[in-house]
Each structure stands twice: as structure tokens, then as C-alpha cells.
Amino acid sequence: MKKIGTGLCLSGLLLMSAWLTGCSNDAESSTEDGGNTTKEEVVEIKLGYYSSGSADEKVEELIQKFEEAHPNIDVTTQNAPYQQFFQKLDTQIAGNNAPDVWLSDGVLVQKYAERGAAKDLTEWIESDLNQDDYYGLDFNKGSDGKYYAVPQGIQIGALFYNKDMFDAAGVDYPDESWTWEQLKEAGAKLTLDGQDRTADDSEFDKKSVKQYGLTFFNITEGWMPVLKSFGGGVLDEDLKESLIDSEENKEAMNWIVDGMERGILTDPSDLQSFQSPMSPFPSGTAAMRIGIYARVLAANETGINYDVSVLPKGPNGDRFAPVIANSWIVNENSSDEKAEAAWEWVKYWVTEDEVQKEWAELGEAVPVKKSVANSDLFLNSGEQSINKQAFLDSFEFAGTLDTNAVWSEWLQKFNENADQVFLGETSVEDALKQADEEVQKVLDDFYE
């Protein structure tokens, strides 16, 4: 009996111990006031971004830090080179399996917004962000006044110039007083043929140009800033009507064509002789270029002696700096839970000083957060000291590239006609009239 009793006693102690142990585990998950806590569930989101070489490693590093700061959010990534990324994204959107948040080229934000793929972020932005603290939020506003993305970094246009070439030609550096006419006058002195004759020389041979005054490439770093500062442009304020066939655009295009015919500006056939249409300035073959901020990287890599100024004024004193606000988009079709987690990533990116500083150190874009953009970290960074304030000053007269849901389609029509003018195959009047009709058809086919 005693043994039995002892056995019962031991069993009872073991049961008691197990019960106490159980009580102890429960206690660990109890709050001080006796309530039970619940372990927060982990939300998994997919983040997509297009590859930009060395920046990829920094994105992954920042994602890891985000996860550490948000243990309830698990991020998987999807990235690929630019063309492949957006081709796959379009397919995924059609199949309703796109990432929960992705990095969009700024010119494509309205395409995703107007086609129902981008979530309306207006309430979250107004609730969580002090809008005065950031550059570029309004560049993602749709025609309905709603926000569909938050900038990841800003690309804004300015005038790059090669100081050594200016010094050699005895030409004063450009400044904020310059007009496009003054740029062309300086460009003529900076353009050299095979015999070192300038474009002002009556013997100048424009078929053997070895140094151009201004390299001219496509919409952002070519015709759009000129058209806009001459008072022209492509679309109306609603972005649904073409304004191409206007007197202001004719004047602007005549300025461009005159520069190309004199050999001062590169035309499309000139650019074919280069490895890339963006090569003439960093390779030291052009004295000036219209360039977005990212062009600083190539200029620095080649070691040319250059600086930056704001873009010139048009005939009426108007100035225009093209903007591309590459931005984070939250998937409209993600669940509420995933969308909220995706918004936490977007908010983390733009509000955290450390994130903004680390991204700014890469030198790929103007920081979104004004306090960081106006700090020494941005303004005085890099091995070569240049006037980065010119990029910030350009926000005063900055605008988008008339981006809408069919931006890529109407741009193709405009470029086809513009190239015919630039190559001397048709007149400015005929090209603008034809472009106006073709662009309007693209707009009507989508919006009507």
C-alpha cells in the first residue's frame, strides 16, 4: 500500500509538475492583467523591381532591414532587366498574379492607374505622409486628382556641359540667364569639324563633325523640354487631346532642325555611329547635353570635367525641366492585409532618413525626402563637385512628359514623324500635322 501509495504520490507529483509546467507556459503568453496575447501572424508579400545593376544589392539590403523592423512582414522579391520585368508584369497583371508592390518607371504609372492595376493611395498618403516633406508626389496624380504611386527617386532634367571644351573655345559657362538661342550660339563655337573649324566658319564641313555643340536624344533629353519652353507641348491638361499642330511647336521644331542642319545638334543618323545614343557627352564628343540626374553616373565614370546648370529659357522666358518620378505602386488586386503590408514598405522607404541616405549614396536619383536632398549628403557627395543645386532649383518649373495610359503608343507616333523631320525627309509643318492626327487617333481609340 505504501509503495502503491508512494507510486500514486509520485504520479500525482508528475501530473502536478506537468500541470504546473503547463501553467508556466500559459503564463508566458499572458499579459500582466491576465489577458491572453496572440502571436502576430506573418504577412507574406511579393515585391517587384527592375534591375539596375549595382543598385540591386542595396535594394535587397534595405528589404532585409525592413523585415527586421517589421517581423510580421515577410518579403519575397521578383526582379529582372527593364524590358523583361515590364513584359512579365503586364502578363502577371492580366493573370491577376502581379507582385503586391512594384517599382514602376515614372512614365508608366498612369498606364497602371488608368487600367485599374494601381491602388488609390490618396487616403494613406494624406494620413501617413506630410506631403510638403517630399519631392514629386504630385507627379503621380491622376487626372481624377488621386495619387496612385509614391516616388522611389526623382529624375529631373538639367543642362550638362563640358568645362574643358568651353575653356578651349573661350565660351562662358551656361547659367540661369541662358535662352535656347544663346545655347545655339555657344554650341556653334563648340562644334568642330575634322579640320577644327567651328560651325560659324563658312568652310565648316558638317559631314565630318568630330565634336558637337549639343547632343540631342529622344523625348526627355531632346525635343520635349524645347517644345514646352517654347510654349508648346503634346497634350492638353486633361491629357486626352493633341496640341501638336501649333505655332509654338513649329517654332520649337524649326529651332531644332536648324541646329541639326548646321551640324551643331546631333540628329538620329549621327547617333547611330555611337555605341549608345547617350554616349556622345560622357565620351567627350559633345560639349553639352540635356540630361536627367542619372547621367551623372556615366559622366563621373569617364572622368570628364563637367558641371550642370538649369535648362535654358524659351522665347517668352518660359522654362521647362522634364521629370520622371520612378515610383512604388501597390497592387489594386492584393488583399487588404497584403496591401497594408505593402504600404508599410512604401512608407518605410520614403520616411526613414537612413533609407533615403543609403539610397542617395548610390547617386542614381534625386532623393524623395527634401531634408535629405538638401543636405550635404546629396549636394556635396561624389568624387567630382558639381552644381547639384541646379536639379533642386529645376523643380520650380518641372513637369511630366504628358504621361497617360497610352503614353508609349502616342510617343511612338510622335517620334516616327519627328525623326522624318530631323532626317530632312519632310517639312516641320507636314510632320506636325501628321503627328497630330496619328496621336489623336491613339487617344480617341482608348478614351472614347
Side-chain angles (χ1 to χ4, degrees):
M1 289 292 291
K2 187 176 181 179
K3 290 181 178 178
I4 294 173
T6 302
L8 286 172
C9 182
L10 287 171
S11 299
L13 288 172
L14 289 172
L15 286 170
M16 180 65 76
S17 175
W19 182 80
L20 289 172
T21 301
C23 287
S24 176
N25 286 341
D26 284 346
E28 288 178 357
S29 61
S30 298
T31 59
E32 291 182 356
D33 61 2
N36 291 325
T37 60
T38 56
K39 189 176 180 181
E40 208 168 0
E41 291 186 4
V42 174
V43 181
E44 296 181 356
I45 61 171
K46 181 183 288 185
L47 183 152
Y49 63 96
Y50 49 93
S51 178
S52 54
S54 59
D56 293 359
E57 185 177 344
K58 177 59 68 177
V59 173
E60 296 293 338
E61 181 184 326
L62 293 173
I63 288 172
Q64 186 175 349
K65 291 182 178 180
F66 169 76
E67 289 179 318
E68 291 169 357
H70 299 77
N72 62 318
I73 300 176
D74 184 34
V75 181
T76 58
T77 59
Q78 166 189 312
N79 77 323
Y82 185 93
Q83 293 291 344
Q84 294 94 314
F85 176 78
F86 285 105
Q87 286 174 356
K88 182 176 181 179
L89 181 62
D90 285 346
T91 302
Q92 289 177 314
I93 290 172
N96 197 25
N97 61 349
D100 301 295
V101 56
W102 70 84
L103 175 61
S104 173
D105 189 319
V107 298
L108 300 178
V109 168
Q110 296 308 319
K111 165 187 168 181
Y112 298 121
E114 295 188 41
R115 295 169 193 258
K119 187 175 183 62
D120 175 8
L121 302 178
T122 308
E123 288 189 11
W124 281 342
I125 288 174
E126 292 177 348
S127 169
D128 294 346
L129 303 181
N130 182 352
Q131 297 177 52
D132 291 338
D133 290 346
Y134 304 98
Y135 285 119
L137 281 176
D138 283 355
F139 296 130
N140 285 324
K141 257 187 176 178
S143 56
D144 56 3
K146 297 178 179 177
Y147 295 97
Y148 289 96
V150 172
Q152 173 249 24
I154 308 288
Q155 298 296 340
I156 186 165
L159 181 65
F160 289 57
Y161 59 95
N162 186 311
K163 294 166 70 175
D164 288 343
M165 290 181 180
F166 272 70
D167 291 342
V171 177
D172 291 338
Y173 297 154
D175 59 29
E176 66 278 3
S177 69
W178 267 32
T179 64
W180 287 106
E181 284 304 325
Q182 287 174 291
L183 181 146
K184 188 181 287 181
E185 290 171 8
K189 295 180 174 63
L190 291 155
T191 301
L192 301 175
D193 68 11
Q195 302 300 314
D196 287 336
R197 294 174 296 220
T198 71
D200 286 332
D201 192 316
S202 60
E203 301 296 319
F204 176 73
D205 180 8
K206 66 179 183 182
K207 294 182 180 177
S208 65
V209 177
K210 69 174 186 180
Q211 176 179 305
Y212 295 92
L214 175 74
T215 183
F216 201 81
F217 171 66
N218 222 317
I219 175 173
T220 317
E221 298 168 316
W223 50 263
M224 183 66 98
V226 182
L227 263 58
K228 290 272 189 177
S229 55
F230 271 70
V234 177
L235 305 183
D236 68 350
E237 288 186 0
D238 293 334
L239 304 171
K240 296 176 182 175
E241 294 288 335
S242 169
L243 301 173
I244 293 172
D245 193 15
S246 69
E247 291 303 317
E248 292 83 359
N249 283 342
K250 288 176 185 173
E251 188 178 2
M253 290 293 278
N254 281 325
W255 181 92
I256 297 168
V257 170
D258 173 69
M260 290 179 175
E261 289 179 344
R262 296 171 59 192
I264 301 170
L265 278 65
T266 55
D267 67 27
S269 64
D270 296 326
L271 295 177
Q272 290 179 0
S273 62
F274 292 89
Q275 185 175 13
S276 159
M278 291 180 281
S279 294
F281 184 79
S283 67
T285 313
M288 293 178 280
R289 71 164 301 162
I290 304 165
I292 57 176
Y293 180 75
R295 305 305 177 223
V296 167
L297 294 175
N300 288 344
E301 286 174 2
T302 56
I304 60 170
N305 183 22
Y306 77 102
D307 209 336
V308 181
S309 181
V310 295
L311 287 169
K313 295 179 287 189
N316 296 320
D318 295 333
R319 206 190 299 270
F320 179 82
V323 162
I324 300 174
N326 297 326
S327 299
W328 295 112
I329 286 179
V330 176
N331 191 340
E332 167 67 5
N333 293 314
S334 290
S335 67
D336 290 347
E337 187 179 43
K338 288 179 180 290
E340 288 169 7
W343 173 247
E344 287 300 318
W345 162 256
V346 176
K347 196 167 58 173
Y348 175 79
W349 182 279
V350 297
T351 61
E352 293 292 329
D353 279 1
E354 194 57 35
V355 176
Q356 287 284 298
K357 288 176 181 176
E358 289 194 38
W359 192 247
E361 285 173 352
L362 292 179
E364 287 203 329
V366 175
V368 176
K369 199 168 187 178
K370 289 181 180 178
S371 59
V372 177
N374 285 277
S375 71
D376 283 348
L377 182 73
F378 173 71
L379 293 173
N380 297 315
S381 62
E383 297 178 0
Q384 188 158 342
S385 177
I386 63 169
N387 178 28
K388 292 183 180 178
Q389 185 64 45
F391 293 103
L392 304 186
D393 293 344
S394 297
F395 279 105
E396 292 183 18
F397 43 86
T400 68
L401 303 172
D402 290 354
T403 51
N404 64 3
V406 287
W407 183 82
S408 299
E409 290 88 337
W410 72 246
L411 177 62
Q412 180 181 353
K413 298 297 183 185
F414 188 97
N415 277 338
E416 289 171 357
N417 286 284
D419 281 354
Q420 290 185 41
V421 179
F422 298 155
L423 293 170
E425 297 171 354
T426 189
S427 67
V428 168
E429 290 75 11
D430 288 347
L432 290 181
K433 183 178 181 181
Q434 185 70 21
D436 187 69
E437 293 173 358
E438 293 180 5
V439 168
Q440 189 59 55
K441 185 175 187 309
V442 170
L443 299 169
D444 291 344
D445 287 347
F446 183 80
Y447 288 109
E448 288 190 348

